[in-house]
Amino acid sequence: INTVPGPALAQALPLLAENGRVVTVTGIAGDLNAAIPKRGTLNFVVLEDAARRLTALGRLIERGQVRVPVAK
């Protein structure tokens, strides 16, 4: 899961496992062709005003107002 804007997604693709998956919420930047030989799957989630919403979510997490259940 890529949450870093800019070229981070394209830079990480050479590390993608065979038939691996990548999800990004920060937009598309750079050359994504490195995923092709590995038959990788790229998933893009486009959020309007993502920076503002992610910042607000981060504040909620810092205040302990968001809980993520984890199954055992």
Side-chain angles (χ1 to χ4, degrees), residues 12-22 34-35 37-41:
L13 287 179
L15 304 174
L16 183 65
E18 187 82 16
N19 298 310
R21 292 185 179 182
V22 175
K38 297 185 178 193
R39 296 191 302 272
T41 301

Side-chain angles (χ1 to χ4, degrees), residues 29-48:
D31 182 6
L32 306 181
N33 288 322
I36 293 172
K38 297 185 178 193
R39 296 191 302 272
T41 301
L42 303 177
N43 297 290
F44 305 98
V45 178
V46 179
L47 304 173
E48 291 183 25

